[in-house]
Amino acid sequence: MKISILKNVLNESIQHVSKAISSRTTIPILSGIKLDVNHQGVTLTASDTDISIQSFIPAEDEKQTIVQVDQPGSVVLPAKFFVEIIKKLPSQEIQMEVKENFHTFISAGATEIQMVGLDPEEFPVLPSIDDSQTISVPGDLLKNMIKQTVFSISTHETTPILTGVLWNLADNELKFTATDRHRLATRSAALEGTDVKFSNIVIAGKTLNELSKIIPDQNTLVDIVVADNQVLFKIDRVLFYSRILDGIYPDTSRIIPTSHKTELILDTKKLSESIDRAYLLSKEEKTNIVRMQTMESGGIEISSSSSELGKVREELELIDFKGESLRISFNSKYMLDVLKVIESEQLMIAFTGVMSPIILKPLDDSRSMYIILPYRTTN
């Protein structure tokens, strides 16, 4: 294998695929990035068995030569060193040559590097996926749906299925659900003209976070192919394979109240700032407990206390109030996590009682809903 390649294009592809490298792998070949070179261009691949990412660099793009291929071939290079050294090379053009026993020589300007490569034949083959179940989702929408649900996943490996986000698609509506049994986030979106249906597709939250970093900010369509135990995301010249988590996701519909005794409408930013101040004291107690109660004046009181530091108390005006007065305690960090992803200027908070789930809904977004379970406190 012998090529000359533009540094910035190679570096961008390396950054994409390196997201699939695990520092904890016990399989030496998976600590590397595989390069396959032919006269069409260079394909980079990395995998940790749960996710695999492949990025293709064409030999030419818009009449610009990106890769000059003198000799096709393949090699696996140690990712940790390869990722860092390419970033730091001084020249905009890099020469790479693989010789006997996969010894790889990289030169850029006056810099020369020798790397010990591995046999590409040992690298696992990427899964073959039937693309009959394909949907297309705008990249910015997909990033938003991930951001607005993934924070509610469980971080405990004791229930692996809850470390992922549930995907369901029926009647042209794609719905994400995430819960750790203490809180829940749902976000849905209408998809145009698809007859694809699927249910109980659960993708690990950490995988979705890595996927989100690869999706460009401009509105690129992401093709999503759902198979038996894998999902493939196609983003420009990047293929992102993810394993589907094993198990049945719990039925969350039963914990969603259908009626409310109290409804409050508030300014999202003011509520977020108020709870953030109360959170400072509550986290000192390591409980994160903040209290909210309706007041006779028509507003609400937000308060928290610390036995060592003191108390925080402030009043907030309500935009609207219906139903019974209420005093409730909740995990302020969970509440802040929700408020950070709500883009609506106003939100509705609904209650059915002091120990019933707290419902949060953005006023101008009927496709999002959040639930937080309250705390039982002695006073």
Side-chain angles (χ1 to χ4, degrees):
M1 176 186 129
K2 187 176 181 183
I3 61 169
S4 177
I5 187 167
L6 295 181
K7 171 189 160 180
N8 62 329
V9 183
L10 176 60
N11 184 53
E12 185 181 4
S13 270
I14 289 172
Q15 296 307 315
H16 287 330
V17 300
S18 65
K19 291 174 173 56
I21 300 286
S22 169
S23 57
R24 299 195 302 268
T25 184
T26 55
I27 307 165
I29 198 78
L30 292 186
S31 63
I33 292 173
K34 183 185 179 190
L35 283 81
D36 289 301
V37 174
N38 59 30
H39 289 290
Q40 279 72 51
V42 181
T43 302
L44 284 78
T45 311
S47 177
D48 70 353
T49 68
D50 284 335
I51 66 171
S52 302
I53 304 174
Q54 192 168 77
S55 177
F56 176 66
I57 302 170
E60 289 187 3
D61 183 21
E62 295 176 1
K63 298 180 182 175
Q64 178 192 26
T65 300
I66 299 170
V67 188
Q68 186 178 316
V69 179
D70 294 323
Q71 187 181 339
S74 299
V75 70
V76 177
L77 297 177
K80 194 172 181 183
F81 183 57
F82 187 51
V83 169
E84 291 303 317
I85 199 67
I86 295 298
K87 258 194 295 193
K88 294 175 180 177
L89 288 176
S91 166
Q92 281 309 305
E93 195 165 297
I94 298 168
Q95 283 74 43
M96 296 180 68
E97 185 173 3
V98 179
K99 297 189 177 180
E100 278 186 38
N101 297 321
F102 305 106
H103 284 290
T104 303
F105 296 81
I106 300 172
S107 60
T111 305
E112 290 187 356
I113 295 141
Q114 290 185 37
M115 294 179 73
V116 179
L118 297 169
D119 185 352
E121 292 296 319
E122 294 178 17
F123 202 86
V125 177
L126 291 183
S128 174
I129 291 184
D130 172 16
D131 62 2
S132 59
Q133 290 274 88
T134 301
I135 59 171
S136 294
V137 180
D140 56 347
L141 172 62
L142 183 57
K143 282 178 89 157
N144 226 9
M145 291 181 73
I146 292 169
K147 182 180 83 169
Q148 292 176 340
T149 51
V150 76
F151 65 88
S152 284
I153 63 164
S154 173
T155 53
H156 298 295
E157 297 292 336
T158 49
T159 48
I161 198 75
L162 294 185
T163 63
V165 176
L166 171 68
W167 293 40
N168 285 319
L169 175 60
D171 302 323
N172 286 348
E173 184 175 74
L174 178 64
K175 185 176 182 182
F176 287 10
T177 304
T179 183
D180 62 2
R181 298 194 195 278
H182 302 288
R183 54 181 169 173
L184 178 140
T186 68
R187 171 75 159 87
S188 58
L191 300 185
E192 295 291 320
T194 176
D195 55 1
V196 174
K197 293 181 181 179
F198 54 73
S199 60
N200 202 58
I201 301 296
V202 185
I203 303 173
K206 64 179 182 180
T207 297
L208 292 174
N209 280 327
E210 294 301 342
L211 172 69
S212 200
K213 293 173 191 172
I214 290 177
I215 299 169
D217 288 331
Q218 65 266 30
N219 199 3
T220 308
L221 271 182
V222 178
D223 288 336
I224 303 169
V225 186
V226 179
D228 290 341
N229 60 353
Q230 291 273 343
V231 178
L232 167 60
F233 300 90
K234 298 179 181 179
I235 310 150
D236 290 336
R237 294 192 178 99
V238 176
L239 302 180
F240 188 113
Y241 296 80
S242 169
R243 186 174 65 84
I244 294 170
L245 294 182
D246 295 327
I248 302 296
Y249 205 85
D251 179 10
T252 56
S253 62
R254 291 174 297 172
I255 67 166
I256 301 171
T258 53
S259 61
H260 314 126
K261 291 181 181 176
T262 306
E263 281 185 22
L264 314 175
I265 294 177
L266 302 102
D267 181 293
T268 308
K269 187 169 183 281
K270 288 179 181 175
L271 178 64
S272 181
E273 290 170 349
S274 175
I275 291 176
D276 201 15
R277 287 186 282 269
Y279 167 66
L280 286 175
L281 234 62
S282 69
K283 73 176 182 179
E284 289 297 320
E285 291 289 286
K286 297 185 171 58
T287 61
N288 294 337
I289 290 178
V290 164
R291 294 174 178 83
M292 177 190 291
Q293 69 176 40
T294 51
M295 304 175 66
E296 289 183 10
S297 62
I300 57 164
E301 179 186 281
I302 307 285
S303 64
S304 68
S305 60
S306 161
S307 53
E308 292 182 9
L309 295 177
K311 294 181 179 180
V312 170
R313 176 191 169 277
E314 64 181 277
E315 293 180 22
L316 273 183
E317 289 181 9
L318 291 172
I319 295 166
D320 196 14
F321 170 49
K322 294 177 191 165
E324 302 174 4
S325 59
L326 193 77
R327 178 184 171 91
I328 203 158
S329 303
F330 53 85
N331 185 318
S332 52
K333 185 183 180 306
Y334 289 176
M335 183 71 82
L336 286 171
D337 285 345
V338 172
L339 294 172
K340 280 176 195 167
V341 301
I342 288 180
E343 294 170 355
S344 171
E345 290 183 4
Q346 297 177 359
L347 81 154
M348 182 194 80
I349 303 183
F351 311 90
T352 48
V354 288
M355 287 315 295
S356 295
I358 304 166
I359 308 277
L360 294 99
K361 288 183 180 179
L363 264 202
D364 61 3
D365 178 10
S366 62
R367 295 185 175 274
S368 301
M369 185 187 63
Y370 306 94
I371 292 178
I372 299 169
L373 295 183
Y375 280 143
R376 187 185 297 277
T377 54
T378 51
N379 55 349

